[in-house]
Amino acid sequence: MKLLKLVGTFLLTGAFVSAQTITSITFLQPAASQSTNRSKAIEVPFKVCYSSEIWVRPTKAEQIKFLMSRKARYGDVTKEPKRYYDLERWWSHNIFSFTMFGGSAFADYHYLAGLWTLKGNPVWQCDESSRHKINTKEIAEVWVLLYKAISIKWVGNHYLMVVKPTKKGFQYIELPRQEHQDSLPLKVITEDGSDIKVLPFSDTRS
């Protein structure tokens, strides 16, 4: 707003100021609202290409027994620190993001996440053409275990996924990418704002 100059008699707290006094008063513009300063949130459509409402994660003992039955591939998860660390890492997360697809990698992750208890091999239920789009960074895939995705938005420089907890079930989700980073910049929160840890693909590689 314009600078206003008051010249002449000026009433201040009931007293008169000399006509020779010149007082300058600057009126500041209202501060811009936070919403205009922030990047606008963009709704990101997503596709649930496979889901189950009855899946229950196996116990840790069952998981170890299963992986030990495939010792030739996964090693002795009870003795080898690195292998056991991988088990602990997968077992402490319920959200996994993928930005690359190669060979039998998804099948391995399917086993490590405890999804081997499902009948058949649902890891391949998503459209085969989607796997190529993951490698070309057109889409990303997110596995949501024991939660259900409600919405995904692109906010500033990351995706914000809102989920709600479920006692059973999982989802395989595909979403169009707004960026081309090696690791998906994904933040996951519950409806009440609690953070949920995400294990990105770049952290799952050996």
Side-chain angles (χ1 to χ4, degrees):
M1 296 179 71
K2 294 181 179 179
L3 181 69
L4 300 182
K5 294 185 178 181
L6 304 183
V7 183
T9 303
F10 184 83
L11 183 62
L12 179 64
T13 62
F16 287 98
V17 180
S18 167
Q20 302 301 318
T21 301
I22 298 178
T23 303
S24 297
I25 301 176
T26 302
F27 292 90
L28 299 177
Q29 293 185 3
S33 64
Q34 291 183 355
S35 59
T36 57
N37 288 333
R38 293 178 180 175
S39 298
K40 291 184 178 180
I42 301 172
E43 201 76 35
V44 177
F46 63 91
K47 172 186 174 182
V48 179
C49 59
Y50 190 85
S51 66
S52 168
E53 295 183 353
I54 62 174
W55 176 80
V56 177
R57 205 172 209 167
T59 66
K60 191 172 182 180
E62 291 171 332
Q63 178 73 359
I64 290 175
K65 182 179 180 180
F66 173 80
L67 294 179
M68 288 293 285
S69 70
R70 288 160 174 73
K71 190 174 179 180
R73 183 169 185 82
Y74 299 111
D76 188 340
V77 295
T78 65
K79 295 180 179 179
E80 298 179 32
K82 184 176 185 303
R83 294 290 187 182
Y84 191 73
Y85 173 71
D86 284 347
L87 171 62
E88 289 295 316
R89 187 167 49 162
W90 279 88
W91 219 240
S92 62
H93 290 77
N94 288 317
I95 311 290
F96 308 94
S97 66
F98 301 90
T99 56
M100 185 179 294
F101 169 69
S104 61
F106 273 22
D108 285 332
Y109 300 154
H110 177 258
Y111 292 152
L112 290 167
L115 291 166
W116 53 269
T117 57
L118 293 162
K119 293 182 179 180
N121 195 359
V123 72
W124 303 113
Q125 294 299 317
C126 295
D127 187 349
E128 187 64 27
S129 64
S130 298
R131 306 304 185 186
H132 172 71
K133 292 180 181 179
I134 290 177
N135 285 349
T136 56
K137 300 185 185 299
E138 294 178 58
I139 66 172
E141 187 161 308
V142 180
W143 295 1
V144 181
L145 280 57
L146 304 179
Y147 287 91
K148 184 176 182 179
I150 298 173
S151 66
I152 302 176
K153 295 181 179 180
W154 175 253
V155 184
N157 60 0
H158 68 278
Y159 303 92
L160 180 64
M161 177 187 286
V162 178
V163 299
K164 64 179 181 180
T166 57
K167 294 182 179 180
K168 300 178 180 180
F170 73 91
Q171 296 174 311
Y172 290 152
I173 290 174
E174 293 178 349
L175 64 143
R177 298 187 65 177
Q178 310 295 312
E179 40 60 59
H180 297 93
Q181 299 181 38
D182 290 336
S183 181
L184 196 70
L186 174 65
K187 179 180 176 62
V188 179
I189 62 172
T190 59
E191 292 174 288
D192 62 5
S194 300
D195 288 324
I196 306 297
K197 293 187 297 181
V198 178
L199 183 61
F201 175 78
S202 60
D203 287 346
T204 64
R205 286 178 281 190
S206 301

